[in-house]
Amino acid sequence: MTGGGPGACPCGGGRDATRCCAPLLAGRPAPTAERLMRSRYTAHVLGDLDHLLASWHPSTRPRTLTLQPDLTWTGLTVLTTQRSGLLDDDGVVEFRATWVQGEPGVLHEVSRFVREGRNWFYVDGLTP
């Protein structure tokens, strides 16, 4: 796993996984769109399809999701966030996620999120 040391969360948030993304993967609502995005990255690292689907807005969520077993996520950098705080109903998070699948690669995405009640949901993402 990535993240910077034993127990470090794969999302690179600088905290132990048990205090960072693990509670969100277990169903606790994310306080911000960025925290949801980080938990979705961690879900990709861990192969947690349930969290990926549950955190995807029903209007854009696919019926099924398959992860590539030979792809290894190696790091996450959050570039910018907009309107994604505790009092916002929508937000945007731009990030770069690195991976290796034989050769190294980078996913650069601007993701859109909405909040409904206490829950943030991933809507979609665009490649800049």
Side-chain angles (χ1 to χ4, degrees):
M1 270 195 241
T2 63
C9 193
C11 80
R15 294 188 291 173
D16 184 271
T18 60
R19 294 182 315 156
C20 192
C21 288
L24 304 181
L25 272 63
R28 181 180 292 169
T32 66
E34 179 181 341
R35 287 287 308 279
L36 180 64
M37 189 279 308
R38 287 182 176 279
S39 75
R40 288 178 55 81
Y41 172 82
T42 297
H44 277 282
V45 170
L46 301 176
D48 187 341
L49 291 173
D50 291 338
H51 180 68
L52 291 170
L53 289 169
S55 62
W56 208 316
H57 195 270
S59 67
T60 57
R61 178 175 48 223
R63 289 180 183 246
T64 61
L65 187 60
T66 304
L67 300 178
Q68 297 174 328
D70 59 338
L71 189 144
T72 302
W73 294 97
T74 59
L76 174 68
T77 303
V78 174
L79 302 172
T80 62
T81 60
Q82 300 171 24
R83 301 178 319 279
S84 59
L86 297 171
L87 302 177
D88 296 313
D89 291 329
D90 68 337
V92 175
V93 179
E94 181 180 2
F95 67 91
R96 283 195 181 104
T98 54
W99 49 270
V100 175
Q101 188 177 34
E103 298 289 324
V106 177
L107 169 64
H108 183 186
E109 183 173 294
V110 177
S111 298
R112 293 186 317 137
F113 296 85
V114 295
R115 187 174 61 142
E116 295 179 354
R118 295 180 60 215
N119 295 303
W120 282 97
F121 294 96
Y122 170 77
V123 176
D124 59 20
L126 301 171
T127 304

